[in-house]
Amino acid sequence: MNILVVGLGLIGGSVCKAIKKYTDHTVIGYDLNMEVENAALDDGSIDTEFSGEFNNADLVIICLYPEAAESFFVKNAPSMAGRVRLVTDVCGIKGAFSRRMKKLAADNGMEYIGCHPMAGKEFGGYVNSTSDLFLGANFIIAPYEDSSAEGIALLKQLAMSIGVGKLMITDPDEHDRIIAYTSQLAHIVSSAYVKSPELAIECGYSGGSFQDMTRIATMNEKMWTDLFLQNRENLLFELDTLIANLKKYSDSLKKGDYTELSGLIKEGRLLKEENLRRRIGQPN
């Protein structure tokens, strides 16, 4: 295929590099920053820069923030009509966003099926992109009931060819409900955690648990604000649930209640142990 990748940041750049390393597809790269486009061309991550014409693109992968991805599609869908069959994106939000993208695609004679690779790094940008970013990662495809079997199969094959570890097929609304817990809540917790005044003097006192808790606090505020607000109801449910659970720990500490605090810790341990058994397929 000829694949057009729009947006050559961490994810878009890694998509290009992975496709070039692990497949025989031709990659066309497009980024507003010409220096990034030239860098991708120079290091062989793309075969050619985007000419402004969509005639040669079998698949378009939009690797932009949700608002920017939608704006790009609104602006370019009429020019893509009759030239592009399948459009996807890599945004961490689906739901209403996907419904709008799907309608826009259908109105212009195309198909849209959203994707979400569960991969990333502490720092973004093309300079941090890598061909092996998706190796072993979870990869979500979020079609609709009327999405074509051919379109789904194409995205599945492409995902597997770049080394993803587990492929999930779910509907867009279910994606957003679960992602609020597995991804977005974790980013909010990390961002709040680093706001302790002790952060300034943690060096020499911290270990792996601190690194685990704070790694994703370096998230891009523009992208994540967009993601949080577009999934606000699901995220608020998870955040309120977390706050209620944290209050139980706080109350037991205030009371100095050993039995209650120990019970809360045990409850968490048992839940995580059950989660680990499910991950590796062991019986309870």
Side-chain angles (χ1 to χ4, degrees):
M1 293 186 297
N2 291 326
I3 301 175
L4 170 62
V5 178
V6 179
L8 305 181
L10 172 65
I11 300 299
S14 296
V15 166
C16 293
K17 292 177 179 180
I19 292 173
K20 287 301 298 176
K21 181 175 181 178
Y22 295 109
T23 81
D24 294 323
H25 301 309
T26 297
V27 181
I28 307 161
Y30 175 46
D31 196 280
L32 290 177
N33 187 331
M34 291 300 298
E35 291 184 1
V36 169
E37 272 195 14
N38 291 335
L41 191 62
D42 290 343
D43 66 20
S45 299
I46 62 175
D47 294 287
T48 184
E49 296 169 325
F50 180 53
S51 67
E53 300 292 333
F54 293 93
N55 294 336
N56 297 322
D58 300 304
L59 170 67
V60 175
I61 306 175
I62 305 176
C63 302
L64 303 170
Y65 305 161
E67 185 178 353
E70 189 171 352
S71 295
F72 173 86
F73 200 28
V74 168
K75 179 180 178 181
N76 291 283
S79 300
M80 299 164 71
R83 297 177 174 87
V84 176
R85 187 182 72 80
L86 182 62
V87 177
T88 190
D89 72 286
V90 298
C91 296
I93 189 76
K94 293 295 174 263
F97 166 82
S98 280
R99 285 190 286 277
R100 295 191 299 270
M101 296 286 278
K102 181 177 185 291
K103 183 180 185 305
L104 185 59
D107 289 345
N108 288 275
M110 293 174 282
E111 182 173 25
Y112 163 82
I113 302 175
C115 293
H116 183 191
M118 301 298 294
K121 289 184 176 182
E122 292 91 334
F123 300 101
Y126 182 78
V127 67
N128 293 300
S129 63
T130 171
S131 61
D132 293 336
L133 185 67
F134 310 106
L135 293 184
N138 293 331
F139 192 98
I140 304 170
I141 300 175
Y144 287 89
E145 289 185 0
D146 61 349
S147 296
S148 73
E150 294 80 8
I152 297 171
L154 185 153
L155 293 175
K156 288 173 65 175
Q157 192 281 328
L158 182 62
M160 296 304 294
S161 72
I162 61 174
V164 304
K166 187 172 185 178
L167 190 62
M168 299 295 294
I169 308 293
T170 188
D171 69 79
D173 291 321
E174 180 78 351
H175 166 277
D176 284 5
R177 184 182 68 80
I178 299 174
I179 286 298
Y181 173 65
T182 62
S183 176
Q184 295 180 348
L185 179 65
H187 282 78
I188 282 183
V189 171
S190 187
S191 181
Y193 186 86
V194 297
K195 293 179 181 178
S196 167
E198 306 304 329
L199 181 69
I201 56 171
E202 64 80 19
C203 291
Y205 293 87
S206 59
S209 57
F210 176 83
Q211 299 303 324
D212 290 344
M213 284 290 294
T214 61
R215 180 181 63 83
I216 52 178
T218 57
M219 61 183 160
N220 182 290
E221 62 272 16
K222 291 181 65 177
M223 180 182 76
W224 284 96
T225 298
D226 193 358
L227 292 170
F228 291 163
L229 289 176
Q230 291 209 40
N231 201 25
R232 180 170 52 185
E233 290 185 7
N234 289 318
L235 184 52
L236 277 172
F237 172 80
E238 295 299 341
L239 188 57
D240 289 344
T241 300
L242 174 64
I243 291 170
N245 283 321
L246 287 173
K247 190 175 186 306
K248 294 178 184 178
Y249 288 84
S250 176
D251 289 345
S252 66
L253 283 167
K254 289 174 183 176
K255 292 183 293 185
D257 191 324
Y258 179 95
T259 301
E260 184 177 283
L261 182 58
S262 178
L264 289 169
I265 296 170
K266 180 180 179 180
E267 181 182 41
R269 174 177 63 79
L270 292 174
L271 286 168
K272 182 56 184 177
E273 287 175 354
E274 180 184 353
N275 169 256
L276 290 171
R277 283 194 294 270
R278 287 198 304 270
R279 279 176 170 266
I280 62 176
Q282 290 184 350
N284 290 332

